[in-house]
Amino acid sequence: MSEATAPSIRPDEPEPHHGAATNTGIPNKKLAMWAFLASDCMFFGTLISTHLIYRRVNPDIVIDGNIVPATTIFDIELTSASTFILLMSSLTMALTVSAMHKHNVKAARNFLLGTIFFGGLFIGAQIFEFHHFVHNEAHPLTLTNTIFGSTFYVLTGTHGVHVLLGIIWLISWYVFSFSPKFAEEHAIDIEVTGLYWHFVDIIWILIFPLVYIIEYI
Amino acid sequence: MPESPAKAKFSPASEATLKGESTRFFTFFNVILTLIGLTFIELIMIVLPFHQYVLLAGLLILSVIKFILVIWYFMHLRWDQLLLSALFILGLILATGTAIVLYFLFPAGESAANSEAPTVQQATH
Protein backbone atom coordinates (compact mmCIF):
# COMPACT_ATOMS: atom_id res chain seq x y z
CA MET A 1 0.00 0.00 0.00
CA SER A 2 2.63 2.49 1.04
CA GLU A 3 4.83 1.61 -1.94
CA ALA A 4 1.99 2.13 -4.41
CA THR A 5 1.10 5.58 -3.10
CA ALA A 6 4.62 6.83 -2.36
CA PRO A 7 5.50 9.96 -4.40
CA SER A 8 7.99 9.26 -7.14
CA ILE A 9 11.24 11.23 -7.08
CA ARG A 10 13.20 11.90 -10.25
CA PRO A 11 16.93 11.19 -9.86
CA ASP A 12 17.81 14.80 -10.78
CA GLU A 13 15.44 16.27 -8.18
CA PRO A 14 16.49 16.92 -4.60
CA GLU A 15 14.56 14.83 -2.12
CA PRO A 16 11.62 16.80 -0.75
CA HIS A 17 11.65 17.85 2.88
CA HIS A 18 9.21 16.00 5.02
CA GLY A 19 6.26 17.84 6.47
CA ALA A 20 4.00 20.51 5.01
CA ALA A 21 5.16 22.54 2.00
CA THR A 22 6.08 26.16 2.77
CA ASN A 23 6.30 29.30 0.65
CA THR A 24 10.02 29.56 1.27
CA GLY A 25 10.68 25.90 0.52
CA ILE A 26 12.33 25.67 3.93
CA PRO A 27 10.73 23.49 6.60
CA ASN A 28 9.20 25.68 9.32
CA LYS A 29 11.13 23.93 12.09
CA LYS A 30 14.43 24.64 10.37
CA LEU A 31 13.56 28.28 9.69
CA ALA A 32 12.45 28.72 13.30
CA MET A 33 15.70 27.22 14.59
CA TRP A 34 17.81 29.53 12.41
CA ALA A 35 15.78 32.52 13.65
CA PHE A 36 16.35 31.35 17.23
CA LEU A 37 20.08 30.92 16.60
CA ALA A 38 20.26 34.44 15.14
CA SER A 39 18.67 35.77 18.33
CA ASP A 40 20.94 33.60 20.48
CA CYS A 41 23.89 35.20 18.66
CA MET A 42 22.80 38.52 20.12
CA PHE A 43 22.37 36.93 23.55
CA PHE A 44 25.92 35.55 23.57
CA GLY A 45 27.15 38.73 21.90
CA THR A 46 26.05 40.71 24.97
CA LEU A 47 27.64 38.22 27.37
CA ILE A 48 30.95 38.14 25.49
CA SER A 49 31.06 41.91 25.13
CA THR A 50 30.22 42.34 28.83
CA HIS A 51 33.19 40.16 29.72
CA LEU A 52 35.53 41.96 27.32
CA ILE A 53 34.37 45.41 28.44
CA TYR A 54 34.93 44.61 32.10
CA ARG A 55 38.35 43.18 31.26
CA ARG A 56 39.14 46.45 29.49
CA VAL A 57 37.78 48.66 32.27
CA ASN A 58 39.26 46.52 35.08
CA PRO A 59 42.51 45.09 33.69
CA ASP A 60 43.56 43.82 37.14
CA ILE A 61 41.99 40.81 38.81
CA VAL A 62 42.17 41.56 42.53
CA ILE A 63 41.59 38.53 44.77
CA ASP A 64 42.07 38.94 48.55
CA GLY A 65 43.98 42.17 47.99
CA ASN A 66 46.43 40.71 45.48
CA ILE A 67 46.56 41.24 41.76
CA VAL A 68 46.34 37.80 40.19
CA PRO A 69 47.11 37.25 36.49
CA ALA A 70 44.37 35.30 34.73
CA THR A 71 47.03 32.94 33.37
CA THR A 72 47.67 31.65 36.89
CA ILE A 73 43.96 30.91 37.26
CA PHE A 74 43.34 29.24 33.90
CA ASP A 75 44.42 25.77 32.90
CA ILE A 76 44.91 26.20 29.16
CA GLU A 77 45.70 22.50 28.61
CA LEU A 78 42.33 21.45 30.01
CA THR A 79 40.48 24.14 28.06
CA SER A 80 42.26 23.13 24.85
CA ALA A 81 41.22 19.52 25.45
CA SER A 82 37.62 20.71 26.01
CA THR A 83 37.76 22.59 22.71
CA PHE A 84 38.99 19.47 20.93
CA ILE A 85 36.20 17.42 22.56
CA LEU A 86 33.51 19.89 21.46
CA LEU A 87 34.88 19.99 17.91
CA MET A 88 34.75 16.19 17.78
CA SER A 89 31.16 16.27 19.01
CA SER A 90 30.33 18.56 16.09
CA LEU A 91 31.79 16.00 13.69
CA THR A 92 29.73 13.15 15.17
CA MET A 93 26.62 15.36 15.08
CA ALA A 94 27.18 16.16 11.40
CA LEU A 95 27.60 12.43 10.75
CA THR A 96 24.36 11.73 12.67
CA VAL A 97 22.44 14.09 10.37
CA SER A 98 24.14 12.57 7.33
CA ALA A 99 23.20 9.05 8.46
CA MET A 100 19.58 10.14 8.99
CA HIS A 101 19.47 11.56 5.47
CA LYS A 102 20.61 8.15 4.26
CA HIS A 103 17.87 6.57 6.44
CA ASN A 104 20.58 4.58 8.21
CA VAL A 105 19.09 4.58 11.71
CA LYS A 106 21.69 2.27 13.26
CA ALA A 107 24.61 4.48 12.19
CA ALA A 108 22.69 7.61 13.23
CA ARG A 109 22.10 6.11 16.66
CA ASN A 110 25.82 5.32 17.09
CA PHE A 111 26.92 8.79 16.02
CA LEU A 112 24.26 10.29 18.31
CA LEU A 113 25.69 8.31 21.19
CA GLY A 114 29.17 9.59 20.28
CA THR A 115 27.89 13.17 20.36
CA ILE A 116 26.29 12.61 23.76
CA PHE A 117 29.55 11.12 25.02
CA PHE A 118 31.67 14.06 23.84
CA GLY A 119 29.10 16.55 25.17
CA GLY A 120 29.16 14.80 28.55
CA LEU A 121 32.96 14.93 28.57
CA PHE A 122 32.87 18.66 27.88
CA ILE A 123 30.42 19.28 30.72
CA GLY A 124 32.52 17.08 33.02
CA ALA A 125 35.64 19.09 32.15
CA GLN A 126 33.80 22.35 32.76
CA ILE A 127 32.53 21.22 36.17
CA PHE A 128 36.09 20.13 37.06
CA GLU A 129 37.43 23.49 35.88
CA PHE A 130 34.89 25.50 37.89
CA HIS A 131 35.53 23.36 40.97
CA HIS A 132 39.28 23.85 40.54
CA PHE A 133 38.87 27.64 40.23
CA VAL A 134 36.51 28.04 43.18
CA HIS A 135 38.50 25.82 45.55
CA ASN A 136 41.93 27.12 44.58
CA GLU A 137 43.70 27.73 47.92
CA ALA A 138 46.04 30.46 46.68
CA HIS A 139 43.49 32.59 44.81
CA PRO A 140 39.93 31.26 44.72
CA LEU A 141 37.86 32.67 41.87
CA THR A 142 34.18 32.77 42.73
CA LEU A 143 31.10 34.29 41.17
CA THR A 144 31.10 37.18 43.65
CA ASN A 145 34.69 37.96 44.68
CA THR A 146 35.73 39.70 41.45
CA ILE A 147 34.08 41.29 38.42
CA PHE A 148 36.22 38.96 36.30
CA GLY A 149 34.73 35.95 38.15
CA SER A 150 31.19 37.25 37.66
CA THR A 151 31.45 37.80 33.92
CA PHE A 152 33.55 34.66 33.38
CA TYR A 153 31.17 32.31 35.20
CA VAL A 154 28.04 33.87 33.72
CA LEU A 155 29.41 33.61 30.18
CA THR A 156 30.92 30.12 30.35
CA GLY A 157 28.14 28.89 32.64
CA THR A 158 25.45 30.03 30.20
CA HIS A 159 27.32 28.24 27.45
CA GLY A 160 27.54 25.15 29.67
CA VAL A 161 23.78 25.26 30.26
CA HIS A 162 23.28 25.39 26.48
CA VAL A 163 25.50 22.30 26.14
CA LEU A 164 23.58 20.55 28.93
CA LEU A 165 20.23 21.30 27.26
CA GLY A 166 21.67 20.00 23.99
CA ILE A 167 22.74 16.77 25.68
CA ILE A 168 19.25 16.28 27.17
CA TRP A 169 17.76 16.91 23.72
CA LEU A 170 20.16 14.41 22.11
CA ILE A 171 19.47 11.78 24.79
CA SER A 172 15.74 12.15 24.20
CA TRP A 173 16.30 11.55 20.46
CA TYR A 174 18.48 8.54 21.20
CA VAL A 175 15.77 7.00 23.39
CA PHE A 176 13.03 7.92 20.92
CA SER A 177 14.96 6.31 18.05
CA PHE A 178 14.08 2.90 19.55
CA SER A 179 10.36 3.74 19.46
CA PRO A 180 8.22 2.33 16.62
CA LYS A 181 6.97 5.90 16.11
CA PHE A 182 10.47 7.01 15.00
CA ALA A 183 10.22 7.56 11.24
CA GLU A 184 11.70 9.26 8.18
CA GLU A 185 10.02 12.56 8.92
CA HIS A 186 12.09 12.87 12.10
CA ALA A 187 15.21 13.37 9.99
CA ILE A 188 14.41 17.09 9.87
CA ASP A 189 14.01 17.15 13.66
CA ILE A 190 17.43 15.57 14.10
CA GLU A 191 18.83 18.13 11.66
CA VAL A 192 17.32 20.96 13.72
CA THR A 193 18.86 19.49 16.88
CA GLY A 194 22.15 19.32 15.00
CA LEU A 195 21.92 23.03 14.14
CA TYR A 196 21.56 23.84 17.83
CA TRP A 197 24.51 21.62 18.71
CA HIS A 198 26.78 23.17 16.09
CA PHE A 199 25.76 26.63 17.29
CA VAL A 200 26.92 25.72 20.79
CA ASP A 201 30.22 24.68 19.18
CA ILE A 202 30.69 27.94 17.28
CA ILE A 203 30.02 29.92 20.44
CA TRP A 204 32.83 27.99 22.13
CA ILE A 205 35.03 28.68 19.08
CA LEU A 206 34.61 32.38 19.96
CA ILE A 207 34.83 32.00 23.75
CA PHE A 208 38.07 30.01 23.63
CA PRO A 209 40.26 32.77 22.10
CA LEU A 210 38.32 35.80 23.42
CA VAL A 211 38.16 34.66 27.04
CA TYR A 212 41.02 32.19 27.52
CA ILE A 213 43.78 32.61 24.93
CA ILE A 214 43.62 36.41 24.96
CA GLU A 215 44.87 36.36 28.58
CA TYR A 216 48.17 34.78 27.47
CA ILE A 217 48.99 37.61 25.08
CA MET B 1 -0.29 -8.72 5.10
CA PRO B 2 0.57 -5.74 7.33
CA GLU B 3 4.10 -4.36 7.13
CA SER B 4 6.28 -4.43 10.21
CA PRO B 5 6.35 -0.92 11.78
CA ALA B 6 10.14 -0.60 11.70
CA LYS B 7 10.44 -1.30 7.96
CA ALA B 8 7.48 0.86 6.96
CA LYS B 9 8.96 3.95 8.64
CA PHE B 10 12.23 4.13 6.64
CA SER B 11 12.27 3.66 2.90
CA PRO B 12 15.63 3.31 1.13
CA ALA B 13 17.23 6.69 0.43
CA SER B 14 17.54 7.78 -3.20
CA GLU B 15 20.77 7.25 -5.13
CA ALA B 16 21.32 11.00 -5.32
CA THR B 17 21.04 11.34 -1.54
CA LEU B 18 23.40 8.43 -0.92
CA LYS B 19 25.96 9.84 -3.34
CA GLY B 20 25.68 13.35 -1.92
CA GLU B 21 26.00 12.21 1.67
CA SER B 22 28.99 9.99 0.84
CA THR B 23 30.78 13.01 -0.60
CA ARG B 24 29.87 15.06 2.46
CA PHE B 25 31.26 12.34 4.72
CA PHE B 26 34.79 13.04 3.46
CA THR B 27 34.18 16.78 3.47
CA PHE B 28 33.26 16.61 7.16
CA PHE B 29 36.54 14.84 7.96
CA ASN B 30 38.53 17.44 6.06
CA VAL B 31 36.68 20.20 7.92
CA ILE B 32 37.30 18.69 11.36
CA LEU B 33 41.01 18.21 10.58
CA THR B 34 41.22 21.87 9.52
CA LEU B 35 39.40 22.97 12.70
CA ILE B 36 41.75 21.00 14.93
CA GLY B 37 44.75 22.31 13.00
CA LEU B 38 43.58 25.91 13.40
CA THR B 39 43.05 25.39 17.14
CA PHE B 40 46.64 24.13 17.47
CA ILE B 41 47.86 27.17 15.55
CA GLU B 42 45.96 29.39 18.03
CA LEU B 43 47.75 27.69 20.91
CA ILE B 44 51.16 27.89 19.24
CA MET B 45 50.68 31.56 18.39
CA ILE B 46 50.57 32.64 22.05
CA VAL B 47 54.10 31.37 22.71
CA LEU B 48 55.59 33.00 19.60
CA PRO B 49 57.15 36.47 19.95
CA PHE B 50 54.63 38.37 17.84
CA HIS B 51 53.43 41.87 18.59
CA GLN B 52 50.27 42.01 20.73
CA TYR B 53 48.13 43.44 17.93
CA VAL B 54 49.40 40.89 15.41
CA LEU B 55 48.45 38.11 17.83
CA LEU B 56 45.02 39.61 18.45
CA ALA B 57 44.36 40.01 14.74
CA GLY B 58 45.63 36.49 14.08
CA LEU B 59 43.40 34.97 16.76
CA LEU B 60 40.37 36.83 15.47
CA ILE B 61 41.02 35.77 11.88
CA LEU B 62 41.50 32.11 12.90
CA SER B 63 38.29 32.19 14.97
CA VAL B 64 36.33 33.68 12.10
CA ILE B 65 37.67 31.01 9.73
CA LYS B 66 36.67 28.25 12.21
CA PHE B 67 33.27 29.88 12.70
CA ILE B 68 32.62 30.04 8.96
CA LEU B 69 33.78 26.44 8.41
CA VAL B 70 31.28 25.14 10.99
CA ILE B 71 28.27 27.13 9.79
CA TRP B 72 29.12 26.56 6.11
CA TYR B 73 29.70 22.81 6.22
CA PHE B 74 28.46 21.29 9.49
CA MET B 75 25.35 23.49 9.62
CA HIS B 76 24.76 22.89 5.90
CA LEU B 77 24.52 26.56 4.87
CA ARG B 78 26.58 25.65 1.82
CA TRP B 79 23.77 23.41 0.61
CA ASP B 80 20.74 25.25 2.06
CA GLN B 81 18.72 28.22 0.84
CA LEU B 82 20.26 31.68 0.89
CA LEU B 83 17.47 32.93 3.15
CA LEU B 84 18.86 30.92 6.07
CA SER B 85 22.33 32.42 5.61
CA ALA B 86 20.81 35.91 5.41
CA LEU B 87 18.74 35.34 8.56
CA PHE B 88 21.72 34.15 10.57
CA ILE B 89 24.08 36.80 9.25
CA LEU B 90 21.55 39.49 10.22
CA GLY B 91 21.65 38.30 13.84
CA LEU B 92 25.42 38.03 13.66
CA ILE B 93 25.83 41.57 12.33
CA LEU B 94 23.59 42.97 15.08
CA ALA B 95 25.50 41.05 17.75
CA THR B 96 28.96 41.95 16.42
CA GLY B 97 28.02 45.58 15.86
CA THR B 98 26.63 45.94 19.37
CA ALA B 99 29.70 44.25 20.87
CA ILE B 100 32.16 46.47 18.97
CA VAL B 101 30.30 49.70 19.77
CA LEU B 102 30.00 48.84 23.45
CA TYR B 103 33.64 47.78 23.66
CA PHE B 104 34.93 51.11 22.39
CA LEU B 105 32.34 53.09 24.37
CA PHE B 106 34.04 52.28 27.65
CA PRO B 107 37.61 53.60 28.10
CA ALA B 108 40.22 51.19 29.39
CA GLY B 109 41.11 51.02 33.09
CA GLU B 110 38.82 53.76 34.35
CA SER B 111 36.73 51.96 36.92
CA ALA B 112 36.90 52.71 40.63
CA ALA B 113 37.66 49.07 41.40
CA ASN B 114 40.69 49.18 39.16
CA SER B 115 42.07 52.39 40.65
CA GLU B 116 41.81 50.87 44.10
CA ALA B 117 43.66 47.73 43.11
CA PRO B 118 47.29 48.94 43.49
CA THR B 119 46.44 50.55 46.85
CA VAL B 120 45.05 47.29 48.12
CA GLN B 121 48.12 45.45 46.92
CA GLN B 122 50.51 47.92 48.58
CA ALA B 123 48.66 47.62 51.84
CA THR B 124 49.14 43.88 51.95
CA HIS B 125 52.86 43.80 51.07
Side-chain angles (χ1 to χ4, degrees):
Chain A
M1 171 72 185
S2 61
E3 280 179 19
T5 55
S8 60
I9 301 163
R10 289 205 331 257
D12 55 333
E13 266 183 352
E15 257 190 298
H17 289 291
H18 297 286
T22 59
N23 288 339
T24 54
I26 304 165
N28 287 331
K29 289 175 183 175
K30 198 171 179 175
L31 190 62
M33 177 49 82
W34 274 107
F36 165 72
L37 296 182
S39 69
D40 223 19
C41 262
M42 291 178 251
F43 177 59
F44 275 104
T46 55
L47 291 178
I48 292 172
S49 54
T50 301
H51 179 79
L52 293 178
I53 287 163
Y54 275 118
R55 287 300 289 134
R56 183 178 159 88
V57 175
N58 304 293
D60 300 320
I61 303 167
V62 185
I63 300 176
D64 297 333
N66 297 313
I67 296 175
V68 180
T71 48
T72 60
I73 300 170
F74 288 156
D75 184 353
I76 197 70
E77 290 85 3
L78 177 70
T79 318
S80 306
S82 295
T83 307
F84 174 75
I85 287 164
L86 209 57
L87 287 174
M88 287 309 291
S89 77
S90 249
L91 173 67
T92 51
M93 190 68 235
L95 294 177
T96 306
V97 174
S98 180
M100 277 306 291
H101 284 163
K102 289 192 274 187
H103 298 170
N104 187 345
V105 180
K106 195 182 172 190
R109 220 175 260 153
N110 290 336
F111 287 129
L112 204 54
L113 205 57
T115 314
I116 294 165
F117 171 72
F118 284 123
L121 270 183
F122 178 84
I123 285 293
Q126 195 166 41
I127 290 170
F128 175 81
E129 183 188 50
F130 283 7
H131 184 267
H132 180 72
F133 290 169
V134 171
H135 296 281
N136 190 316
E137 286 180 8
H139 37 71
L141 181 74
T142 67
L143 186 67
T144 53
N145 69 350
T146 55
I147 294 173
F148 175 80
S150 302
T151 57
F152 171 79
Y153 284 122
V154 170
L155 171 58
T156 54
T158 306
H159 177 265
V161 169
H162 272 70
V163 175
L164 200 61
L165 289 174
I167 292 171
I168 293 167
W169 200 358
L170 292 173
I171 289 173
S172 63
W173 275 122
Y174 182 75
V175 173
F176 187 67
S177 72
F178 290 97
S179 160
K181 290 178 184 171
F182 190 63
E184 270 178 34
E185 57 261 31
H186 291 115
I188 186 67
D189 300 324
I190 300 271
E191 195 177 331
V192 166
T193 313
L195 289 177
Y196 175 82
W197 190 262
H198 294 308
F199 177 76
V200 165
D201 183 36
I202 55 173
I203 291 300
W204 188 256
I205 282 175
L206 295 178
I207 290 176
F208 182 57
L210 292 177
V211 174
Y212 290 89
I213 294 185
I214 206 167
E215 300 292 345
Y216 291 81
I217 294 175
Chain B
M1 186 178 165
E3 291 174 354
S4 67
K7 283 188 178 174
K9 302 291 180 187
F10 288 93
S11 60
S14 69
E15 280 295 319
T17 305
L18 289 174
K19 196 180 171 187
E21 291 300 335
S22 298
T23 312
R24 283 184 202 180
F25 188 82
F26 294 105
T27 308
F28 290 153
F29 273 97
N30 291 335
V31 170
I32 194 71
L33 286 175
T34 311
L35 289 171
I36 291 169
L38 292 176
T39 307
F40 275 116
I41 292 172
E42 281 179 343
L43 288 170
I44 291 167
M45 273 178 74
I46 58 176
V47 294
L48 294 177
F50 288 125
H51 189 271
Q52 188 183 2
Y53 291 114
V54 176
L55 283 173
L56 275 173
L59 283 175
L60 276 175
I61 290 167
L62 288 176
S63 297
V64 168
I65 293 171
K66 285 164 74 180
F67 190 96
I68 290 170
L69 280 174
V70 173
I71 61 167
W72 197 241
Y73 290 102
F74 285 168
M75 294 172 88
H76 289 197
L77 278 186
R78 184 182 194 282
W79 299 284
D80 278 337
Q81 287 90 332
L82 197 64
L83 177 66
L84 295 177
S85 303
L87 185 65
F88 187 65
I89 288 169
L90 181 70
L92 205 59
I93 288 171
L94 283 171
T96 314
T98 309
I100 291 170
V101 168
L102 283 174
Y103 187 77
F104 289 106
L105 202 62
F106 294 92
E110 282 203 354
S111 84
N114 191 57
S115 60
E116 284 169 12
T119 318
V120 175
Q121 192 188 29
Q122 281 166 12
T124 54
H125 289 283

